[in-house]
Amino acid sequence: MPQRFNKLQKRILDLKRKKRVLILAHNYQTLDIQEIADFVGDSLQLARKSAESNAHSAILFAGVRFMAEMAAILSPEVPVYIPDPKALCPLAACLDAEKIRAKKREYPGVPVVVYVNTTAEAKFEADMICTSGSAVEVVESLGVDTVLFGPDVNLADNVRKHTSVRIIDLDEEGHCYVHNKFNLDMFKSMKAKYPDSVAIAHPECPIEVQDAADMVGSTGMMAKTVAESDAKVFLIATELGMVQQLQKQHPKKKIIPVYDAAVCRQMKKHTLEKIINVLENFPEGNRVTVPEQYIPHIRTILERMNKVRGQGPTAPIDAHL
Ligand code: SF4
């Protein structure tokens, strides 16, 4: 069925075509923003799309700031803008460079692996970067018995479950407030209500929720599973925007949120009006840049992660945000 657009969406489509702007939207954006995007995906998929943006005069990134920073790192020639500059991920914000340096002093010589959900200054301090889909492989690739890891403690628990490497948290409190809302009781009661469902949990959920799920994986893995499975009902434990996107893509399947108040307020700061403002005015305050000295090191550790996963820099991935 052809997509029907509202007045604001039509204005955006017209502006982005005239001004040759590439619009990238994260899976957790509202559907009206996903609909006007050139590409919708997880943070690394979007960053990789940004690396193919040479034909565009600018990138508009509807996601949180650390994601837009990744686009700026992988596509330094094309200016990157964010619709609302206050869209900051609290998980990324909890781990600053000084915290990492303090842990390095406490554990000299122990390599640092950071989750992609970190600021550029935190990534600059790391030896390796990982996604939720690659965390175990990345940790094991180092060939050491101890690793400093962060900032998400639930993802760290997931890694501990699959490796004998000792994982030391870079931040003992680090978590995503959206995924941390899921608990075992709500998960079990939804499973009891839909016994034939396939339950999928994101690895940023608490470990007891992950343990109770049929599958644990990134948003990319969720999309693949729902598309390929013969099951008719899926329980999804992640941010609501992803659940809505899956339901729209698979109208014949029942896609049910485990918790329908799991909404990322930071992602939802973006609106169609704010996108129009950027496309009309390109305000300097909405431009996302990364200090030049960070860029070579972050590109190197991204390439290291790609090597571990046997992927080139623009290969499709099944990893989260
Ligand atoms: S869902 Fe969680 S990890 Fe993702 S941007 Fe929001 S707060 Fe950050």
Side-chain angles (χ1 to χ4, degrees):
M1 204 174 20
Q3 177 74 56
R4 281 169 189 265
F5 296 107
N6 67 31
K7 217 169 135 195
L8 292 177
Q9 288 177 310
K10 282 184 192 152
R11 175 92 185 113
I12 290 170
L13 294 173
D14 188 43
L15 280 168
K16 77 163 180 171
R17 186 181 47 80
K18 280 191 189 140
K19 303 206 174 178
R20 294 188 301 113
V21 176
L22 178 70
I23 300 187
L24 302 174
H26 190 266
N27 287 323
Y28 297 164
Q29 287 303 308
T30 50
L31 280 182
D32 58 354
I33 292 180
Q34 293 189 19
E35 284 162 6
I36 51 83
D38 294 292
F39 187 79
V40 179
D42 62 42
S43 60
L44 215 51
Q45 285 172 323
L46 296 178
R48 284 171 176 163
K49 273 284 157 194
S50 68
E52 301 165 11
S53 63
N54 287 344
H56 295 86
S57 62
I59 296 169
L60 187 144
F61 202 111
V64 284
R65 179 171 280 268
F66 81 82
M67 298 175 181
E69 285 182 348
M70 293 283 281
I73 289 163
L74 288 176
S75 184
E77 323 71 35
V78 183
V80 177
Y81 293 85
I82 192 164
D84 186 325
K86 292 195 277 309
L88 304 170
C89 168
L91 173 62
C94 79
L95 187 63
D96 62 21
E98 184 41 42
K99 223 179 240 182
I100 299 177
R101 287 195 288 265
K103 280 281 180 190
K104 287 203 242 187
R105 287 194 292 272
E106 201 181 336
Y107 297 94
V110 175
V112 173
V113 177
V114 295
Y115 190 23
V116 69
N117 296 31
T118 40
T119 60
E121 69 155 43
K123 289 184 178 86
F124 185 62
E125 293 294 329
D127 300 294
M128 275 297 248
I129 194 168
C130 73
T131 59
S132 61
S134 65
V136 176
E137 283 171 281
V138 165
V139 163
E140 296 205 323
S141 74
L142 293 167
V144 293
D145 56 13
T146 309
V147 160
L148 293 167
F149 185 94
D152 192 274
V153 293
N154 295 327
L155 179 61
D157 282 343
N158 176 290
V159 176
R160 282 185 190 100
K161 212 176 136 174
H162 295 99
T163 181
S164 56
V165 177
R166 181 180 172 215
I167 306 294
I168 299 172
D169 291 314
L170 284 164
D171 182 330
E172 290 78 12
E173 308 279 308
H175 65 270
C176 160
Y177 76 95
V178 180
H179 290 93
N180 221 43
K181 285 179 177 164
F182 293 93
N183 64 51
L184 191 54
D185 287 346
M186 68 170 72
F187 206 80
K188 276 184 175 164
S189 77
M190 289 298 278
K191 198 64 192 159
K193 205 164 157 193
Y194 300 97
D196 296 330
S197 61
V198 174
I200 314 177
H202 194 277
E204 288 169 21
C205 293
I207 194 71
E208 58 276 16
V209 172
Q210 299 184 36
D211 288 344
D214 299 307
M215 299 180 82
V216 177
S218 61
T219 51
M221 183 278 236
M222 289 177 185
K224 193 166 182 279
T225 304
V226 173
E228 292 174 358
S229 166
D230 292 333
K232 296 277 179 284
V233 185
F234 296 86
L235 297 176
I236 306 288
T238 192
E239 210 271 349
L240 196 62
M242 182 67 194
V243 183
Q244 292 167 334
Q245 182 199 128
L246 288 173
Q247 186 61 82
K248 193 170 178 198
Q249 284 169 356
H250 304 281
K252 293 195 175 141
K253 297 182 178 181
K254 214 171 156 90
I255 316 292
I256 303 166
V258 171
Y259 183 45
D260 60 10
V263 173
C264 177
R265 291 190 300 276
Q266 281 65 28
M267 286 279 186
K268 265 57 173 186
K269 281 188 194 288
H270 304 312
T271 62
L272 295 177
E273 288 84 355
K274 289 176 186 174
I275 291 176
I276 290 175
N277 176 41
V278 170
L279 294 177
E280 283 179 342
N281 305 308
F282 296 99
E284 211 34 48
N286 293 56
R287 176 113 186 246
V288 176
T289 56
V290 172
E292 236 170 76
Q293 70 270 23
Y294 292 175
I295 294 177
H297 177 71
I298 296 174
R299 289 178 77 113
T300 300
I301 59 176
L302 263 171
E303 276 159 29
R304 273 186 212 151
M305 179 186 77
N306 288 331
K307 249 192 204 154
V308 170
R309 292 177 61 84
Q311 295 178 329
T314 56
I317 56 154
D318 66 346
H320 172 62
L321 163 161

